[in-house]
Amino acid sequence: MANSKYEYVKSFELEDEVMFPNLIVVWINGRKFSRFSQVHGFEKPRDEKALKLMNSCAVAVLEEYADVVFAYGFSDEFSFVFKRTSKFYERRASKVLSIITSFFTSAYVRKWREFFPEKELQYPPCFNGRVISCASIEVLQAYLLWRQNICHVNNQYDQCFWRLVKRGMTEKEAQDFLKGAEKRDKNDLLFEEFNVNYNTLEAIFRQGSCVLKTIVNDTVKFDKDNTPVKRSRRKIITVHSKKIAGRRFWNEHIVLLKELGEFVEEINIVKPEFVRSFEFESKLMPCTWIVVRLDGCHFHRFSEIHEFVKPNDERALNLMNTCAMAMLEEFQQDIIFAYGVSDEYSFILNSSSNLYQRRASKIISAMVSFFTSMYVMRWKDFFPQKQLNYPPYFDARAVCYPSRNILRDYLSWRQVDCHINNQYNTCFWKLVASGKSKREAQESLKGAQLQKKVEELAIDYNKLQIMFRQGSSVFWDEGNNIVAHQENGGSTGSNRKVVIEHCDIIGSTFWLEHPNILNEKQQVQFQVPSFWLANEDFN
């Protein structure tokens, strides 16, 4: 990070550590997935391919992160359980949540073709999430029972509902018909009206899916006598169990016992106070400007594997910018400005925003998920000759700033950081290009005054692209109002659009030229995001 007078803004960042000995669970679920499933023609009441896609993404999460040892999912949700000794990203809730949500989203987009080869993604799939802190193994047991009960109740209802709709009822009529129906009533309806025995339906529908790590003995080689030599190793498996919170299922898996603990008693009812704790979400302070900052995870490695141009790859930066512009369109009633450099972007939410009732986890997860989804979907537009070798993903945090002045100081901090980091990287890669090793280049720049180093290396810094030097600002350009007269005598309409500029945002000139950006009383008018326009279902 660059040193500057604006660094004080970091003091507003609060750590949200999940304290030991609490167990960490990341619970994610689809955002607007009813519409997503409708647009993409998912089978009702359940689409087995869609469920297997979700399972495949969960497997990818367990493969990527050693600390995640168990996952349970159904429909468009999954819960990921971390081992009890986990120190994953210092157990910071926002970081843990955003990384898992972003990686899962990235895997979902990349694996889509594997399960739906005949269907194009019409718009970005997106997930919400939250961190559940379980104070003990008994609380985790209750949480898993709660989720599997929901799986059963929802599936039983949907099996009835969609069969009634297919037989001719409207959705409203089917809802009214099933209102107040008990479990037995629904089973009888399925059997008597549709000749369906609920207990014979596929287990993946009724019981959900467990993804877990287990120990297997695999043959690694053969000795001189052709006798197989076996070694124990961990393997990820997907199973469907009737009662995942039961002692029999849990305690027969060595990895779960070792990493999480033993289920001592059988439970059949979840205490209401447990459910309330599972559903609790902290809210961000009202009447403050919210900044959601996204950062690429392990993007040094990502850029090397995908051969990004050094020190700056214009294609990669424009891909980030395109995703940022889509973010403003998607969250157009709340995001008023964004600033990005390299593999990070900061999104500013108006102080009057009530997005998700200002629930931090929902804001963070939805934004990082949508951004990730766009990044993977638009990759080919900027890198048509390069395949994505593994899922790109991001972490995120939300920080509240109490005034416009402090908010502007935050943005100034990020632009100063952009300038100093770009100077450093420009010098570093110039030294590497001259024949120095990366280590030698680092030593040469240690403690150096970068401006002098730029001059010594004969770098005409001011001729570098302005995007490299000043980053990218994305915001709503109000333009000239276009008045559309209505029959009742009123008028609506505007020429409002998202634009991107590369300019100085530290001084006052930019803000004086665009006074509406930080005008919290500004009225926001809804517009359909551009990536929806090609889909007739949204018109």
Side-chain angles (χ1 to χ4, degrees):
M1 291 292 182
N3 294 317
S4 72
K5 67 178 182 180
Y6 304 110
E7 290 249 337
Y8 78 91
V9 297
K10 290 195 290 186
S11 63
F12 289 90
E13 298 181 3
L14 302 178
E15 298 301 337
D16 51 354
E17 180 181 353
V18 180
M19 303 298 291
F20 283 110
N22 293 339
L23 296 164
I24 299 173
V25 179
V26 173
W27 174 21
I28 67 171
N29 60 286
R31 172 177 172 263
K32 301 180 180 178
F33 250 61
S34 293
R35 170 168 279 182
F36 184 87
S37 65
Q38 179 183 358
V39 169
H40 293 93
F42 284 5
E43 291 183 12
K44 302 295 184 181
R46 291 288 183 269
D47 191 305
E48 191 167 359
K49 289 186 292 184
L51 294 177
K52 288 182 176 179
L53 170 55
M54 293 285 293
N55 292 351
S56 181
C57 296
V59 169
V61 171
L62 267 71
E63 289 174 340
E64 181 72 12
Y65 303 110
D67 281 28
V68 183
V69 294
F70 179 79
Y72 173 72
F74 62 94
S75 185
D76 60 352
E77 78 163 61
F78 247 102
S79 298
F80 297 94
V81 185
F82 287 68
K83 64 183 181 181
R84 63 175 179 270
T85 58
S86 174
K87 294 182 180 178
F88 188 72
Y89 285 93
E90 292 77 48
R91 299 172 68 90
R92 286 175 288 174
S94 58
K95 197 123 179 170
V96 173
L97 169 64
S98 57
I99 287 173
I100 297 300
T101 308
S102 179
F103 186 90
F104 188 94
T105 305
S106 190
Y108 193 97
V109 179
R110 292 184 72 236
K111 290 174 175 285
W112 174 266
R113 281 285 187 158
E114 181 181 338
F115 293 87
F116 295 97
E118 75 288 354
K119 295 180 186 289
E120 288 288 342
L121 271 175
Q122 299 297 315
Y123 67 96
C126 184
F127 297 84
N128 291 127
R130 72 180 73 164
V131 171
I132 308 293
S133 179
C134 295
S136 66
I137 187 67
E138 290 77 20
V139 177
L140 174 63
Q141 184 180 17
Y143 173 81
L144 294 175
L145 175 61
W146 176 53
R147 294 322 300 156
Q148 191 165 42
N149 284 347
I150 296 295
C151 167
H152 167 68
V153 170
N154 288 356
N155 182 61
Q156 192 183 48
Y157 179 91
D158 289 345
Q159 294 290 342
C160 296
F161 176 84
W162 287 108
R163 282 178 168 80
L164 291 171
V165 170
K166 288 177 182 178
R167 194 170 66 176
M169 282 189 182
T170 66
E171 292 189 11
K172 179 67 166 60
E173 289 170 340
Q175 288 171 354
D176 292 340
F177 184 84
L178 293 171
K179 190 174 294 183
E182 300 292 335
K183 173 182 175 181
R184 184 184 183 89
D185 298 330
K186 294 169 191 169
N187 280 344
D188 289 345
L189 172 67
L190 287 171
F191 187 76
E192 293 171 4
E193 298 292 329
F194 301 104
N195 197 29
V196 173
N197 183 341
Y198 182 80
N199 292 324
T200 63
L201 294 175
E202 290 86 343
I204 192 174
F205 301 159
R206 294 180 290 109
Q207 299 168 357
S209 301
C210 299
V211 180
L212 59 110
K213 293 175 179 177
T214 188
I215 304 295
V216 297
N217 288 320
D218 274 355
T219 300
V220 295
K221 64 179 181 178
F222 293 87
D223 62 17
K224 295 179 181 179
D225 300 326
N226 207 31
T227 302
V229 177
K230 296 190 175 183
R231 296 281 187 274
S232 295
R233 68 176 183 88
R234 289 194 175 192
K235 182 181 179 181
I236 298 170
I237 59 173
T238 302
V239 297
H240 311 289
S241 175
K242 185 175 182 179
K243 193 175 182 182
I244 61 172
R247 292 178 59 199
R248 179 176 180 181
F249 169 78
W250 192 265
N251 295 343
E252 69 183 11
H253 293 289
I254 297 172
V255 174
L256 299 183
L257 292 175
K258 178 183 176 182
E259 302 291 8
L260 292 166
E262 179 183 7
F263 287 172
V264 177
E265 298 180 355
E266 294 289 352
I267 60 170
N268 296 304
I269 299 175
V270 183
K271 297 177 181 178
E273 55 267 32
F274 281 178
V275 174
R276 285 196 295 272
S277 72
F278 298 150
E279 294 179 332
F280 172 78
E281 289 188 76
S282 60
K283 295 185 178 182
L284 297 169
M285 188 177 296
C287 302
T288 57
W289 303 85
I290 301 171
V291 175
V292 177
R293 187 168 77 242
L294 277 60
D295 288 286
C297 287
H298 306 298
F299 256 58
H300 286 295
R301 176 171 172 256
F302 183 85
S303 64
E304 288 180 3
I305 289 176
H306 295 95
E307 299 176 326
F308 283 8
V309 176
K310 303 296 184 180
N312 296 290
D313 192 307
E314 187 176 0
R315 299 164 302 174
L317 294 176
N318 284 329
L319 172 55
M320 292 286 291
N321 293 343
T322 295
C323 297
M325 295 175 76
M327 285 277 282
L328 265 72
E329 290 183 330
E330 174 70 7
F331 299 96
Q332 58 191 268
Q333 293 180 306
D334 299 278
I335 299 178
I336 56 171
F337 185 81
Y339 176 75
V341 56
S342 185
D343 61 348
E344 84 165 49
Y345 244 102
S346 296
F347 296 94
I348 315 301
L349 278 70
N350 205 316
S351 59
S352 59
S353 171
N354 196 35
L355 179 65
Y356 297 125
Q357 294 76 54
R358 298 178 77 91
R359 287 177 286 177
S361 58
K362 206 152 190 177
I363 292 171
I364 290 169
S365 56
M367 288 193 173
V368 76
S369 180
F370 184 85
F371 191 93
T372 304
S373 198
M374 284 297 303
Y375 192 96
V376 180
M377 289 181 67
R378 297 300 301 272
W379 173 265
K380 277 293 184 184
D381 295 345
F382 296 89
F383 295 93
Q385 306 304 320
K386 293 184 184 296
Q387 289 293 329
L388 270 175
N389 293 308
Y390 67 92
Y393 59 102
F394 301 80
D395 66 56
R397 67 172 63 196
V399 184
C400 294
Y401 295 100
S403 71
R404 288 184 183 85
N405 289 339
I406 297 175
L407 175 64
R408 280 190 53 185
D409 282 352
Y410 168 83
L411 293 169
S412 298
W413 171 50
R414 300 318 306 136
Q415 190 162 53
V416 168
D417 208 47
C418 166
H419 169 67
I420 293 178
N421 287 345
N422 187 60
Q423 278 192 328
Y424 180 92
N425 291 332
T426 302
C427 293
F428 176 85
W429 289 105
K430 184 71 179 285
L431 290 168
V432 171
S434 71
K436 288 185 180 294
S437 67
K438 291 182 180 180
R439 188 178 189 83
E440 289 171 336
Q442 288 172 346
E443 290 296 326
S444 176
L445 293 172
K446 190 178 292 183
Q449 291 187 7
L450 291 176
Q451 186 59 45
K452 287 185 177 180
K453 207 69 180 177
V454 167
E455 294 170 1
E456 289 174 13
L457 294 171
I459 298 170
D460 192 345
Y461 189 75
N462 290 329
K463 285 192 174 180
L464 296 179
Q465 280 199 47
I466 193 170
M467 177 168 62
F468 302 162
R469 293 181 283 117
Q470 297 189 336
S472 301
S473 297
V474 184
F475 55 95
W476 287 101
D477 181 16
E478 298 304 314
N480 297 318
N481 286 339
I482 299 175
V483 178
H485 295 282
Q486 298 176 326
E487 291 181 3
N488 60 7
S491 61
T492 61
S494 74
N495 198 25
R496 191 169 181 260
K497 63 179 180 180
V498 178
V499 297
I500 183 164
E501 289 187 8
H502 314 291
C503 54
D504 173 23
I505 58 172
I506 298 175
S508 298
T509 302
F510 174 83
W511 302 105
L512 291 172
E513 291 176 348
H514 302 89
N516 288 330
I517 292 177
L518 298 185
N519 178 12
E520 57 194 297
K521 295 180 181 179
Q522 180 184 5
Q523 295 298 311
V524 177
Q525 187 175 21
F526 182 80
Q527 292 175 295
V528 178
S530 59
F531 51 81
W532 288 6
L533 296 179
N535 191 334
E536 60 183 9
D537 295 86
F538 293 101
N539 291 328

